Amino acid sequence: MHDLSFRLIDAQQTSLTNLALHPTQEQFLSSGEMGTLKHWDIAGNLLQTIGSPGDPMLGTAWNPNGEDLISSTYSGRIFRWQKDGQQLKTWNAHSASIWDVAYSPKGDQFASAGVDGTANLWAHNGQRLHTLNHGLAVWRVAYSPDGALVATGSGDKTAKIWRTHDGSLVTTLTGHGAAVWGVAFSPDNTFIATTSVDETVKLWTLEGELLHTLKGHNASVRTLAFRQDGQMLASVGDDGTLALWDIPAILDLRPLDYACAWIRDYLQTNENVSQADRSLCQD
């Protein structure tokens, strides 16, 4: 049984920029502005420090095999590391900061999101496979559970879905009023969720149809994550709140039925409602 007690960990970083859970062990990585990665166990014990202070680390991700990892920096570099902290490779990957990196579920490729307006897909050995273009900075990147698709969230107010085998565009998700900061595929690979500086969470089909807009935050919504069974979605906002969304209830919601259930008594009992309007919502 896991110990679910709360722990406050002194990460010894000027500012934390990202976290990455180990795929098989109770461990995680933290990246920060000091320019190093820190490797922790789930109890909060520091196992090792990877790299040396300098270029701020912005993104990090484990290979699903748990044997190696990647990190990205403010200057646009990507590092590959062995799990013991030995550096395997580093290269200039973008012409500007790289805020996010993610491995595909099979670990055969990974993606990077750059402030230069592009996302890049890379082979496991660091060879560039495809460049995906946005109008403005790309802030987030996420793979679908089957690895066939990758999604990007951008400062151009859109998210885009791409095919990973050739980098071709599937669809553009248009409807947010500000930068898109969070993207996540549902665990059953049937829809995608996005969050934005416009204070909303949106659910979309993989073909780009908007399903629902979820409102509950009072500030920018920076990130989101699905529960493994897909029944719950969590979103975190700059208003200091964590919102939990009941996905089955939201997807089953029929707006007209909901509205009628809410207003039916009013139509029948309010004396100011005309006789013709009293018949509304009867069927």
Coordinates of all heavy atoms in Angstrom, one line a residue, residues 134-191:
H134 N 4.1 26.0 -36.2 CA 3.0 26.9 -35.7 C 3.3 28.3 -36.1 O 4.3 28.7 -36.5 CB 2.9 26.7 -34.2 CG 1.9 25.7 -33.7 ND1 0.6 25.9 -33.6 CD2 2.2 24.4 -33.3 CE1 0.0 24.8 -33.1 NE2 1.0 23.9 -32.9
G135 N 2.2 29.2 -35.8 CA 2.4 30.6 -36.1 C 3.2 31.3 -35.0 O 4.0 32.3 -35.3
L136 N 3.2 30.8 -33.8 CA 3.9 31.4 -32.7 C 4.5 30.3 -31.8 O 4.4 29.1 -32.2 CB 2.9 32.3 -31.8 CG 2.4 33.6 -32.5 CD1 1.4 34.3 -31.7 CD2 3.6 34.6 -32.8
A137 N 5.0 30.7 -30.6 CA 5.7 29.8 -29.7 C 4.8 28.5 -29.5 O 3.6 28.6 -29.3 CB 6.0 30.5 -28.4
V138 N 5.5 27.4 -29.4 CA 4.9 26.1 -29.1 C 5.3 25.8 -27.6 O 6.4 25.7 -27.3 CB 5.3 24.9 -30.0 CG1 4.6 23.6 -29.6 CG2 5.1 25.3 -31.4
W139 N 4.2 25.7 -26.8 CA 4.5 25.6 -25.3 C 4.4 24.1 -24.8 O 5.1 23.8 -23.8 CB 3.4 26.4 -24.5 CG 3.5 27.9 -24.8 CD1 2.6 28.6 -25.4 CD2 4.6 28.8 -24.5 NE1 3.0 29.9 -25.5 CE2 4.2 30.1 -24.9 CE3 5.8 28.6 -23.9 CZ2 5.1 31.2 -24.8 CZ3 6.6 29.7 -23.7 CH2 6.2 31.0 -24.2
R140 N 3.6 23.3 -25.4 CA 3.4 22.0 -24.9 C 3.3 21.0 -26.1 O 2.9 21.3 -27.2 CB 2.1 21.9 -24.1 CG 2.1 22.6 -22.8 CD 3.1 21.9 -21.8 NE 3.1 22.6 -20.5 CZ 4.0 23.5 -20.2 NH1 5.0 23.8 -21.0 NH2 4.0 24.1 -19.0
V141 N 3.6 19.7 -25.7 CA 3.6 18.6 -26.7 C 3.2 17.4 -26.0 O 3.6 17.1 -24.8 CB 4.9 18.5 -27.4 CG1 6.0 18.1 -26.5 CG2 4.8 17.5 -28.6
A142 N 2.4 16.5 -26.6 CA 1.9 15.3 -26.0 C 1.6 14.2 -27.0 O 1.0 14.6 -28.1 CB 0.6 15.5 -25.1
Y143 N 1.9 13.0 -26.8 CA 1.7 11.9 -27.7 C 0.3 11.2 -27.3 O -0.1 11.2 -26.1 CB 2.8 10.8 -27.6 CG 4.0 11.1 -28.4 CD1 5.0 11.9 -27.8 CD2 4.2 10.7 -29.7 CE1 6.2 12.2 -28.5 CE2 5.3 11.0 -30.4 CZ 6.3 11.8 -29.8 OH 7.5 12.1 -30.5
S144 N -0.3 10.6 -28.3 CA -1.5 9.8 -28.1 C -1.1 8.5 -27.5 O 0.1 8.1 -27.6 CB -2.2 9.6 -29.4 OG -1.4 8.9 -30.3
P145 N -2.0 7.8 -26.8 CA -1.6 6.5 -26.2 C -1.0 5.5 -27.1 O -0.2 4.6 -26.7 CB -2.9 6.1 -25.5 CG -3.7 7.3 -25.3 CD -3.3 8.2 -26.5
D146 N -1.5 5.5 -28.4 CA -0.9 4.5 -29.3 C 0.3 5.0 -30.1 O 0.9 4.3 -30.9 CB -2.0 4.1 -30.3 CG -2.5 5.3 -31.2 OD1 -2.0 6.4 -31.0 OD2 -3.5 5.0 -32.0
G147 N 0.7 6.3 -29.8 CA 1.9 6.8 -30.4 C 1.7 7.2 -31.9 O 2.7 7.7 -32.5
A148 N 0.5 7.1 -32.4 CA 0.3 7.5 -33.8 C 0.2 9.0 -34.1 O 0.4 9.4 -35.2 CB -0.9 6.7 -34.4
L149 N -0.2 9.7 -33.0 CA -0.5 11.1 -33.1 C 0.3 11.9 -32.1 O 0.7 11.3 -31.0 CB -1.9 11.4 -32.9 CG -2.9 10.7 -33.9 CD1 -4.4 11.0 -33.4 CD2 -2.7 11.2 -35.3
V150 N 0.6 13.1 -32.3 CA 1.2 14.0 -31.4 C 0.4 15.3 -31.4 O 0.0 15.8 -32.5 CB 2.7 14.2 -31.6 CG1 3.0 14.9 -32.9 CG2 3.4 14.9 -30.5
A151 N 0.2 15.9 -30.3 CA -0.5 17.2 -30.2 C 0.4 18.3 -29.7 O 1.3 18.1 -28.9 CB -1.7 17.1 -29.3
T152 N 0.2 19.5 -30.2 CA 1.0 20.7 -29.8 C 0.1 21.8 -29.4 O -1.0 22.0 -30.0 CB 1.9 21.2 -31.0 OG1 1.1 21.3 -32.1 CG2 3.0 20.2 -31.2
G153 N 0.5 22.5 -28.4 CA -0.3 23.7 -27.9 C 0.6 25.0 -28.1 O 1.8 25.0 -27.8
S154 N 0.0 26.0 -28.6 CA 0.8 27.2 -29.1 C 0.2 28.5 -28.6 O -0.9 28.7 -28.3 CB 0.8 27.2 -30.6 OG 1.5 28.3 -31.1
G155 N 1.1 29.5 -28.7 CA 0.8 30.9 -28.4 C -0.1 31.5 -29.5 O -0.6 32.6 -29.4
D156 N -0.3 30.8 -30.7 CA -1.1 31.3 -31.7 C -2.6 31.0 -31.5 O -3.5 31.1 -32.3 CB -0.7 30.7 -33.1 CG -0.9 29.2 -33.2 OD1 -1.5 28.6 -32.3 OD2 -0.4 28.6 -34.2
K157 N -2.9 30.5 -30.2 CA -4.3 30.3 -29.7 C -4.9 29.0 -30.3 O -6.1 28.7 -30.2 CB -5.3 31.4 -30.1 CG -4.9 32.8 -29.6 CD -5.9 33.8 -30.0 CE -5.4 35.2 -29.6 NZ -6.4 36.3 -30.0
T158 N -4.0 28.1 -30.9 CA -4.5 26.9 -31.4 C -3.7 25.7 -30.8 O -2.6 25.9 -30.3 CB -4.4 26.8 -33.0 OG1 -3.0 26.6 -33.3 CG2 -4.9 28.0 -33.6
A159 N -4.4 24.5 -30.9 CA -3.6 23.3 -30.7 C -3.7 22.5 -32.1 O -4.7 22.7 -32.8 CB -4.2 22.4 -29.6
K160 N -2.7 21.7 -32.4 CA -2.7 21.0 -33.6 C -2.4 19.5 -33.3 O -1.7 19.2 -32.4 CB -1.6 21.6 -34.6 CG -1.9 23.0 -35.1 CD -0.8 23.5 -36.0 CE -1.1 24.9 -36.5 NZ -2.2 25.0 -37.5
I161 N -3.0 18.7 -34.2 CA -2.8 17.2 -34.1 C -2.0 16.8 -35.3 O -2.5 17.1 -36.4 CB -4.1 16.4 -33.9 CG1 -4.8 16.9 -32.6 CG2 -3.8 14.9 -33.8 CD1 -6.2 16.3 -32.4
W162 N -1.0 16.0 -35.2 CA -0.1 15.6 -36.2 C 0.1 14.1 -36.3 O 0.0 13.5 -35.2 CB 1.3 16.3 -36.1 CG 1.3 17.7 -35.7 CD1 1.1 18.3 -34.5 CD2 1.6 18.8 -36.6 NE1 1.2 19.6 -34.6 CE2 1.5 20.0 -35.8 CE3 1.8 18.9 -38.0 CZ2 1.7 21.3 -36.4 CZ3 2.0 20.2 -38.5 CH2 2.0 21.4 -37.7
R163 N 0.4 13.6 -37.4 CA 0.8 12.2 -37.5 C 2.2 12.0 -37.2 O 3.1 12.8 -37.8 CB 0.4 11.6 -38.9 CG -1.1 11.7 -39.2 CD -1.4 11.2 -40.7 NE -2.8 11.3 -41.0 CZ -3.3 12.4 -41.5 NH1 -2.5 13.5 -41.8 NH2 -4.6 12.5 -41.8
T164 N 2.6 11.0 -36.4 CA 4.0 10.9 -36.0 C 4.9 10.3 -37.1 O 6.1 10.5 -37.1 CB 4.1 10.2 -34.7 OG1 3.5 8.9 -34.8 CG2 3.4 10.9 -33.6
H165 N 4.3 9.5 -38.0 CA 5.1 8.7 -38.9 C 5.7 9.6 -40.0 O 6.7 9.3 -40.6 CB 4.4 7.5 -39.5 CG 3.3 7.9 -40.5 ND1 2.1 8.3 -40.1 CD2 3.3 7.9 -41.9 CE1 1.3 8.6 -41.2 NE2 2.1 8.3 -42.3
D166 N 4.9 10.7 -40.4 CA 5.4 11.5 -41.4 C 5.3 13.0 -41.1 O 5.7 13.9 -41.9 CB 4.7 11.3 -42.7 CG 3.2 11.5 -42.6 OD1 2.7 12.0 -41.6 OD2 2.4 11.3 -43.7
G167 N 4.8 13.4 -39.9 CA 4.8 14.8 -39.5 C 3.6 15.6 -40.2 O 3.6 16.8 -40.1
S168 N 2.7 14.9 -40.8 CA 1.6 15.6 -41.5 C 0.6 16.1 -40.5 O 0.3 15.5 -39.5 CB 1.0 14.7 -42.6 OG 0.5 13.5 -42.0
L169 N -0.1 17.2 -40.9 CA -1.1 17.8 -40.0 C -2.5 17.0 -40.2 O -2.9 16.8 -41.3 CB -1.3 19.2 -40.4 CG -2.4 20.0 -39.6 CD1 -2.0 20.1 -38.1 CD2 -2.6 21.4 -40.2
V170 N -3.0 16.6 -39.0 CA -4.4 16.0 -39.0 C -5.5 17.1 -39.0 O -6.4 17.1 -39.8 CB -4.5 15.0 -37.9 CG1 -5.9 14.4 -37.8 CG2 -3.5 13.9 -38.0
T171 N -5.4 17.9 -38.0 CA -6.4 19.0 -37.8 C -5.8 20.1 -36.9 O -4.9 19.8 -36.1 CB -7.7 18.4 -37.2 OG1 -8.7 19.4 -37.3 CG2 -7.5 18.0 -35.8
T172 N -6.4 21.3 -37.0 CA -6.1 22.4 -36.1 C -7.3 22.6 -35.2 O -8.5 22.8 -35.7 CB -5.8 23.6 -36.9 OG1 -4.6 23.4 -37.7 CG2 -5.5 24.8 -36.0
L173 N -7.1 22.7 -33.9 CA -8.2 23.0 -32.9 C -8.3 24.5 -32.7 O -7.4 25.0 -32.1 CB -7.9 22.2 -31.7 CG -7.6 20.7 -31.8 CD1 -7.3 20.1 -30.4 CD2 -8.7 20.0 -32.5
T174 N -9.3 25.1 -33.2 CA -9.4 26.5 -33.2 C -10.6 26.9 -32.3 O -11.7 26.4 -32.6 CB -9.6 27.1 -34.6 OG1 -8.5 26.7 -35.4 CG2 -9.7 28.6 -34.5
G175 N -10.5 27.8 -31.3 CA -11.6 28.2 -30.5 C -11.2 28.8 -29.2 O -11.9 29.5 -28.6
H176 N -9.9 28.6 -28.8 CA -9.4 29.3 -27.6 C -9.2 30.8 -27.9 O -8.9 31.1 -29.0 CB -8.1 28.6 -27.1 CG -8.4 27.4 -26.3 ND1 -9.0 27.4 -25.1 CD2 -8.0 26.1 -26.5 CE1 -9.0 26.2 -24.6 NE2 -8.5 25.4 -25.5
G177 N -9.3 31.6 -26.9 CA -9.1 33.0 -27.1 C -7.7 33.5 -26.7 O -7.5 34.7 -26.7
A178 N -6.9 32.6 -26.3 CA -5.5 33.0 -25.9 C -4.6 31.7 -26.1 O -5.1 30.7 -26.5 CB -5.5 33.5 -24.5
A179 N -3.4 31.9 -25.7 CA -2.4 30.8 -25.8 C -2.9 29.5 -25.2 O -3.5 29.5 -24.2 CB -1.1 31.2 -25.2
V180 N -2.6 28.4 -25.9 CA -2.9 27.0 -25.4 C -1.7 26.5 -24.7 O -0.6 26.3 -25.3 CB -3.3 26.1 -26.6 CG1 -3.6 24.7 -26.1 CG2 -4.5 26.7 -27.3
W181 N -1.9 26.2 -23.4 CA -0.7 25.8 -22.5 C -0.8 24.3 -22.1 O 0.2 23.8 -21.6 CB -0.7 26.7 -21.3 CG 0.3 27.8 -21.4 CD1 0.0 29.0 -21.9 CD2 1.7 27.8 -21.0 NE1 1.2 29.8 -21.9 CE2 2.2 29.0 -21.3 CE3 2.5 26.8 -20.5 CZ2 3.5 29.4 -21.1 CZ3 3.8 27.1 -20.3 CH2 4.3 28.4 -20.6
G182 N -1.9 23.7 -22.3 CA -2.0 22.3 -21.9 C -2.6 21.4 -23.0 O -3.6 21.9 -23.6
V183 N -2.1 20.2 -23.3 CA -2.7 19.3 -24.3 C -2.5 17.9 -23.7 O -1.5 17.5 -23.1 CB -2.0 19.4 -25.7 CG1 -2.4 20.7 -26.4 CG2 -0.5 19.2 -25.6
A184 N -3.6 17.1 -23.8 CA -3.5 15.7 -23.3 C -4.6 14.9 -24.0 O -5.7 15.3 -24.2 CB -3.8 15.7 -21.8
F185 N -4.2 13.7 -24.5 CA -5.1 12.8 -25.1 C -5.8 11.9 -24.0 O -5.1 11.6 -23.0 CB -4.4 11.8 -26.0 CG -3.9 12.4 -27.3 CD1 -2.6 13.0 -27.4 CD2 -4.7 12.4 -28.5 CE1 -2.2 13.6 -28.6 CE2 -4.3 12.9 -29.7 CZ -3.0 13.5 -29.7
S186 N -7.0 11.6 -24.2 CA -7.7 10.7 -23.3 C -7.0 9.3 -23.3 O -6.5 8.9 -24.4 CB -9.2 10.6 -23.6 OG -9.4 10.0 -24.9
P187 N -7.0 8.6 -22.2 CA -6.4 7.3 -22.1 C -7.0 6.3 -23.1 O -6.2 5.4 -23.6 CB -6.6 6.8 -20.7 CG -6.7 8.1 -19.9 CD -7.4 9.1 -20.8
D188 N -8.2 6.4 -23.5 CA -8.8 5.5 -24.5 C -8.6 6.0 -25.9 O -9.1 5.4 -26.9 CB -10.3 5.3 -24.2 CG -11.1 6.5 -24.3 OD1 -10.6 7.6 -24.7 OD2 -12.4 6.5 -24.1
N189 N -7.9 7.1 -26.1 CA -7.5 7.6 -27.4 C -8.7 8.0 -28.3 O -8.7 7.9 -29.5 CB -6.7 6.6 -28.1 CG -5.7 7.2 -29.2 OD1 -5.2 8.3 -29.0 ND2 -5.5 6.6 -30.3
T190 N -9.8 8.5 -27.6 CA -11.0 8.9 -28.4 C -11.2 10.4 -28.5 O -11.9 10.9 -29.3 CB -12.2 8.3 -27.8 OG1 -12.4 8.7 -26.4 CG2 -12.2 6.8 -27.8
F191 N -10.5 11.2 -27.6 CA -10.7 12.6 -27.7 C -9.4 13.3 -27.0 O -8.6 12.6 -26.5 CB -12.0 13.1 -27.0 CG -12.0 12.9 -25.5 CD1 -11.7 13.9 -24.6 CD2 -12.5 11.7 -25.0 CE1 -11.8 13.7 -23.3 CE2 -12.6 11.5 -23.6 CZ -12.2 12.5 -22.8

